């Protein structure tokens, strides 16, 4: 049986890594969630030391974490130069 938790996990893509464009919104680096059905964008709050520019000019690899920061899912830059 599929639970609501399983369905929500699929929509939010917790633990998945995606190449995302990042912009600054109100002092926070934010990426649009890659799943259009997700109710939350991503606040990129970890791994920022890996970025040369804030916000970066090119998309970077971001892992979606299982917690919420400022009403957004938390994300971590895993490797800004890794190919898809």
């Amino acid at each position: 049986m599929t639970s609501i938790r399983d369905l929500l996990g699929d929509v939010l893509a917790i633990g998945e890594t995606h190449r995302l464009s990042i912009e600054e919104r109100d002092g926070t680096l934010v990426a649009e969630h890659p799943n259009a059905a997700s109710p939350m964008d991503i606040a990129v709050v970890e791994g920022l030391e890996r970025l040369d520019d804030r916000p970066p000019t090119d998309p970077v690899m971001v892992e979606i974490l299982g917690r919420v920061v400022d009403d957004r899912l938390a994300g971590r830059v895993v490797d800004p130069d890794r190919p898809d």
Side-chain angles (χ1 to χ4, degrees), residues 8-79:
L8 188 58
D10 288 344
V11 170
L12 297 179
I14 304 298
E16 293 183 17
T17 302
H18 298 272
R19 182 167 292 282
L20 302 172
S21 295
I22 299 172
E23 62 184 36
E24 187 171 345
R25 295 185 200 162
D26 300 322
T28 301
L29 295 180
V30 177
E32 187 174 309
H33 198 287
N35 183 347
S38 173
M40 304 169 90
D41 284 334
I42 302 163
V44 182
V45 295
E46 293 185 16
L48 301 178
E49 69 281 355
R50 295 175 177 238
L51 299 175
D52 293 330
D53 299 315
R54 291 186 195 176
T57 55
D58 296 317
V60 297
M61 297 301 291
V62 175
E63 177 184 5
I64 302 171
L65 305 175
R67 67 179 199 277
V68 176
V69 174
D70 296 331
D71 296 325
R72 297 179 177 107
L73 288 170
R76 167 178 45 222
V77 176
V78 291
D79 188 348

